[in-house]
Amino acid sequence: MDIGRQIAAIYQRYGDPALTNFHLEDPTGNGPREAGVFTLADADGCVALIRRKPHADWPSIETYWWLPGGGCEAGEGLDEAAVREFREETGLEICIERLLLARIQDRRFFNCWFRGRVVASSVSPAGDPCHTTAEVRLFSPADIPVGALCSDLDKIVLACEGFIRYPIDALLARYDLEERPAGRRARPCR
């Protein structure tokens, strides 16, 4: 399935995201060819964040925290990829509740951030097939290491969802994100 069709499918299932930098018009056009998915999942009021293992191509990557996520595999829907990536990197099972942010980067990459809820399992990066996850932690909102969050887009999502207090107006402008009224909401997961 091409990414344009996958984008159309998640919009239909989860409604419009609150933040985006594009309008879904022709999902079959010359759009993005690769997709990344990230999830902000609530575990009884806490947020799961991961740290990566040291990597020669990215000095000091191990000092930063990220929302779990990664790329889609062949034949996998965007929300399915989000659930799989979250499980692999954290050991936690989640259900996806809604789409928070959708962004096209360089007309080649599509990234989306979902909101989910932890439903089972225990915290462990042992399921990461690439062995890139060094640590998983559940942070209460007061303990989220805002200064050590690597991604501005993670900061935006965490702030919009009320987990951190962070001035995001300049970040919204930098990433050309447009706030929209909340779209149709998906049925809550069971």
Side-chain angles (χ1 to χ4, degrees):
M1 176 186 283
D2 73 31
I3 291 176
R5 291 184 197 277
Q6 289 186 39
I7 295 168
I10 62 164
Y11 270 53
Q12 183 172 6
R13 181 165 184 186
Y14 297 104
D16 293 339
L19 297 164
T20 188
N21 71 339
F22 73 98
H23 299 280
L24 183 64
E25 291 158 0
D26 178 15
T28 60
N30 293 323
R33 294 183 301 277
E34 297 179 47
V37 294
F38 306 91
T39 305
L40 165 60
D42 188 322
D44 295 324
C46 293
V47 174
L49 296 175
I50 62 168
R51 262 187 339 100
R52 301 278 184 206
K53 289 182 179 176
H55 192 280
D57 293 337
W58 192 342
S60 71
I61 190 172
E62 69 277 4
T63 64
Y64 296 105
W65 291 91
W66 317 68
L67 288 173
C72 291
E73 294 179 353
E76 186 175 48
L78 297 169
D79 52 351
E80 295 168 329
V83 169
R84 177 188 49 77
E85 284 286 346
F86 202 93
R87 179 180 53 250
E88 288 176 357
E89 293 182 348
T90 69
L92 299 167
E93 289 292 333
I94 61 167
C95 64
I96 300 296
E97 296 182 320
R98 60 187 203 273
L99 179 61
L100 298 175
L101 186 151
R103 181 170 183 268
I104 291 181
Q105 173 186 329
D106 302 329
R107 299 190 58 81
R108 195 177 101 185
F109 298 103
F110 173 78
N111 292 307
C112 60
W113 281 254
F114 289 100
R115 175 68 186 256
R117 180 170 41 87
V118 173
V119 294
S121 299
S122 58
V123 175
S124 170
D128 182 358
C130 299
H131 307 289
T132 59
T133 305
E135 183 180 1
V136 180
R137 283 188 38 203
L138 294 174
F139 288 95
S140 69
D143 294 328
I144 293 172
V146 177
L149 291 171
C150 188
S151 168
D152 286 342
L153 295 162
D154 286 355
K155 291 174 188 172
I156 290 169
V157 167
L158 286 161
C160 286
E161 290 296 299
F163 283 93
I164 63 172
R165 292 178 53 89
Y166 195 85
I168 62 169
D169 290 340
L171 294 178
L172 293 173
R174 179 187 305 160
Y175 292 99
D176 194 28
L177 291 170
E178 174 183 314
E179 289 188 82
R180 295 187 179 170
R184 174 185 63 79
R185 297 289 185 213
R187 285 178 273 128
C189 48
R190 293 173 228 154

